[in-house]
Amino acid sequence: MSVPEATSHGYAGAFRVIPAPASWDVTPNLTDYGATRASFTWEAARAGLEGLPGGGLNIAHEALDRHVAAGRGAHVAIRWLARAGDRRDFTYAELSEQANRFANVLANLGVQRGQRVFSLAGRIPELYVAALGTWKYGAVFSPLFSAFGPEPIKQRLAIGDGRVLVTTSALYARKVAGIRAELAGLAHVLVVARDGEEIPAGTLGLDGLLRAASDRFATAATMPADEATIHFTSGTTGKPKGAVHVHEAVVAHHITGSYALDLRPDDIFWCTADPGWVTGTSYGIISPLTHGLTSIVDEAEFDAEHWYQVLDRERVTVWYTAPTAIRMLMRAGADLARSYNLSSLRFAGSVGEPLNPEAVVWGTEALGLPFHDNWWQTETGGIVIANFRAVDIRPGSMGLPLPGFEVGIVDHREDGGVSVIDRPDVDGELAIRPGWPSMFRGYLGDEERYRKAFANGWYLTGDLARRDGDGYYWFVGRADDVIKSSGHLIGPFEVESALLEHVAVAEAGVIGKPDAIAGNIVKAFVSLKPGFEESDALRRELLGHARQRLGAAVAPKEIAFLPALPRTRSGKIMRRLLRAWELGLPEGDLSTLESS
Ligand code: AMP
């Protein structure tokens, strides 16, 4: 190992550079970063896909049909590991037929092209069939987290004007039945019922519909700029944002999967993300299938031993996971990892939250290879900054921009515009030059918010970062108040709104409290209305209320009572100050604090 040159940021000084291996068993897809970046064009990347006659492009065609047409229909596309322990393989031909059936179900129901099909389900095969069938049909797919409670589900279905919802009978009964009357536009609910479960009133059994439908369907002649997918994300204020993605995004999913994850057709690839998060769709469905490889879909939740068993037994070659899970694996100890045969692994990637440099290095001890951190977000649709197999890793850094992406650090000017910071090692907002195919094309129904995400020819990511003298990017923090907890991006406003619905709550302010495993946990501060007294019983009641409304993934884990919450003169809760108090940090500029 070589020692890095001195730089001004702490991490590179504290952790040695992990040099790229000098030789390879399997040559990486990207061997010469500089040369590939210099010669890269998106047109050439598009040529790696087939396209449809007349300039059309459809995600499902690239993911399924072209492999079947090329004689790889018998190759396993998805190996589904059921929670109960059994596994089921879906070949490219089978998955294509199932997707055809789903497209025909939409046609039979009278769904129009461009209408939105939502899913609310765990990682079950029907979710993947619904996604691919929706794209085939030319409708728009929007996956929701099954851990959401009724409130976030209702908001997203309403904003997205969901016409069809694919869910399970259990989730329907628990989370959707009670809000159905408020969703006038939701015409069809298709449920997956297992093991003799009933098909609830007002829904249709998906299994019967699929079986009755034809397995032949001519993929819709979608154009590159046609809407394909909506992913919801959270901002500091207001409702969730529905980021609109188009079919052309598949160009970025494919090429970034090749460069940043080193995917190839003979791989066994495991992306641990749920499709309710953009990673589980871009790299849990689209990218791996466009590469014609075998993708592992594991229905179960995290469990260290189970995960190692999957890596070992399935002979996983490329693994894409997230920091919270890696930290939990670290807690379980490197010995546990070493007790399994992980020799098939060629690459391990991580995304979604800052990956501690210790975790990168731990990978080399436990797995025999480092974790490669990469950065992107819902709005970018695909990986933008990455540590590559063939490039030295600076543990703690997000890596270098992908070929095809111009990334910069910008400073906000008084006039509302931004200026590029040319000097290295200066904190600023991470920005990207628009024009990559998986860039979001709008926030549903919120033109103003979309417009505000751009300035002076840059897309502004909302993240603070710095670039070192060699072009590596380092994450500094969020520029806003959104919270990353176990990989979920949580809007404090959504949590505050749910708490305010409780009869006892006068004010609510929500922050992320640093946590060794989850990155952050959601902590709420509330003040009570006259006549209510703080007590442990009330705290538990509020926690339960929030959990019931929002679901476990979003609800606060801690609640503290305050006599009143700090507000700015304009009446906004000062979350920054709540955070400073919680963490014992300096209070900073209080000039806008409302005096009481
Ligand atoms: P989401 O849109 O839910 O995928 O969340 C995107 C946000 O997660 C980014 O804007 C970052 O704040 C954070 N994030 C994603 N990847 C990384 C990473 N590698 N390092 C640090 N933060 C990350």
Side-chain angles (χ1 to χ4, degrees):
M1 284 192 183
S2 60
V3 177
E5 288 164 28
T7 57
S8 59
H9 44 74
Y11 283 156
F15 287 84
R16 288 160 181 264
V17 165
I18 301 175
S23 64
W24 311 99
D25 289 344
V26 181
T27 309
N29 293 331
L30 184 148
T31 46
D32 186 336
Y33 171 77
T36 308
R37 194 167 157 73
S39 63
F40 181 90
T41 65
W42 285 110
E43 290 70 33
R46 164 97 191 253
L49 298 174
E50 191 170 64
L52 297 172
L57 194 61
N58 184 287
I59 293 171
H61 176 84
E62 304 303 331
L64 298 175
D65 297 347
R66 76 188 171 109
H67 305 305
V68 178
R72 295 190 81 242
H75 195 74
V76 175
I78 288 181
R79 169 160 292 170
W80 181 61
L81 310 179
R83 200 188 298 273
D86 44 327
R87 49 141 84 150
R88 210 171 128 193
D89 284 350
F90 294 83
T91 65
Y92 277 89
E94 283 164 353
L95 201 53
S96 177
E97 278 172 21
Q98 288 294 322
N100 286 346
R101 287 179 191 273
F102 189 84
N104 282 315
V105 168
L106 295 182
N108 296 340
L109 291 171
V111 175
Q112 305 289 305
R113 264 181 67 169
Q115 290 186 330
R116 311 228 170 83
V117 176
F118 279 66
S119 67
L120 176 75
R123 291 178 293 277
I124 55 175
E126 290 84 349
L127 168 53
Y128 297 78
V129 167
L132 292 156
T134 300
W135 290 319
K136 267 199 174 199
Y137 188 65
V140 178
F141 184 67
S142 185
L144 299 180
F145 257 121
S146 55
F148 278 154
E151 193 59 33
I153 295 169
K154 186 179 77 187
Q155 282 218 340
R156 285 158 178 77
L157 276 165
I159 295 168
D161 191 18
R163 189 58 46 115
V164 179
L165 173 67
V166 176
T167 186
T168 64
S169 45
L171 285 169
Y172 182 80
R174 279 202 352 253
K175 303 187 174 192
V176 185
I179 55 170
R180 179 85 187 264
E182 296 168 69
L183 295 165
L186 183 60
H188 311 286
V189 177
L190 315 181
V191 298
V192 178
R194 294 243 194 275
D195 306 329
E197 282 172 333
E198 301 251 313
I199 313 279
T203 71
L204 299 167
L206 179 59
D207 193 43
L209 293 177
L210 286 173
R211 266 191 279 122
S214 161
D215 63 2
R216 300 180 71 86
F217 187 85
T219 298
T222 46
M223 296 306 283
D226 284 353
E227 191 175 309
T229 316
I230 308 284
H231 286 294
F232 284 89
T233 183
S234 301
T236 308
T237 56
K239 294 177 177 172
K241 305 183 275 190
V244 177
H245 289 280
V246 297
H247 277 274
E248 187 186 17
V250 67
V251 178
H253 297 145
H254 183 73
I255 197 76
T256 55
S258 175
Y259 290 156
L261 302 177
D262 204 42
L263 301 181
R264 60 189 69 219
D266 55 0
D267 272 322
I268 309 284
F269 172 63
W270 184 24
C271 170
T272 61
D274 190 284
W277 175 34
V278 65
T279 302
T281 301
S282 296
Y283 298 97
I285 307 178
I286 303 172
S287 184
L289 296 180
T290 66
H291 283 277
L293 53 73
T294 298
S295 191
I296 302 290
V297 173
D298 181 35
E299 188 187 11
E301 297 311 319
F302 174 87
D303 173 82
E305 288 184 31
H306 169 68
W307 274 31
Y308 288 130
Q309 276 163 14
V310 172
L311 290 169
D312 178 337
R313 195 186 55 216
E314 303 302 337
R315 311 309 301 146
V316 171
T317 54
V318 178
W319 184 34
Y320 195 25
T321 189
T324 294
I326 296 170
R327 288 189 287 264
M328 292 197 283
L329 292 175
M330 287 170 76
R331 198 171 52 176
D335 283 346
L336 182 64
R338 287 192 289 253
S339 70
Y340 290 86
N341 178 357
L342 307 180
S343 60
S344 54
L345 262 188
R346 180 175 86 249
F347 185 83
S350 166
V351 70
E353 314 156 54
L355 183 65
N356 352 12
E358 300 87 344
V360 177
V361 176
W362 183 82
T364 59
E365 293 161 20
L367 315 171
L369 32 107
F371 283 104
H372 294 75
D373 187 19
N374 59 55
W375 179 95
W376 58 290
Q377 56 178 193
T378 301
E379 287 85 346
T380 71
I383 302 170
V384 178
I385 299 174
N387 286 284
F388 303 91
R389 248 182 103 208
V391 177
D392 294 353
I393 297 175
R394 296 190 172 181
S397 160
M398 305 186 290
L400 301 166
L402 268 281
F405 290 87
E406 186 185 344
V407 176
I409 300 289
V410 301
D411 196 16
H412 285 260
R413 299 191 308 243
E414 300 252 312
D415 67 2
V418 296
S419 308
V420 175
I421 303 174
D422 282 329
R423 283 165 300 132
D425 298 328
V426 180
D427 291 5
E429 186 164 355
L430 185 66
I432 312 166
R433 284 272 186 220
W436 71 98
S438 61
M439 188 179 94
F440 72 132
R441 305 302 161 95
Y443 289 127
L444 281 180
D446 206 341
E447 189 55 40
E448 172 74 3
R449 242 170 164 182
Y450 186 64
R451 214 176 35 75
K452 280 194 178 150
F454 298 86
N456 301 93
W458 291 95
Y459 161 64
L460 307 172
T461 66
D463 278 3
L464 301 176
R466 75 178 77 115
R467 185 184 59 243
D468 69 23
D470 298 311
Y472 284 73
Y473 283 82
W474 300 74
F475 184 77
V476 171
R478 287 288 308 188
D480 55 20
D481 286 337
V482 294
I483 301 160
K484 259 273 152 144
S485 179
S486 300
H488 301 278
L489 199 68
I490 296 167
F493 182 78
E494 229 180 322
V495 182
E496 289 159 5
S497 303
L499 286 166
L500 286 170
E501 285 171 14
H502 191 280
V503 61
V505 176
E507 304 171 296
V510 166
I511 63 162
K513 175 181 168 183
D515 179 84
I517 298 289
N520 292 281
I521 57 160
V522 176
K523 172 154 188 172
F525 294 85
V526 298
S527 69
L528 298 175
K529 286 188 187 149
F532 289 92
E533 296 269 316
E534 63 173 84
S535 67
D536 277 345
L538 181 56
R539 180 181 290 112
R540 280 196 300 276
E541 185 179 320
L542 292 177
L543 287 168
H545 162 84
R547 206 180 152 97
Q548 198 259 326
R549 303 290 291 164
L550 299 166
V554 184
K557 297 273 185 294
E558 287 182 16
I559 292 184
F561 296 107
L562 288 177
L565 298 193
R567 286 181 183 270
T568 62
R569 280 176 225 271
S570 59
K572 284 190 195 144
I573 304 264
M574 286 184 89
R575 301 187 187 107
R576 179 176 60 76
L577 197 54
L578 291 171
R579 224 176 116 77
W581 289 346
E582 176 68 30
L583 304 180
L585 298 172
E587 292 183 338
D589 178 11
L590 295 183
S591 60
T592 60
L593 182 68
E594 181 192 51
S595 48
S596 48

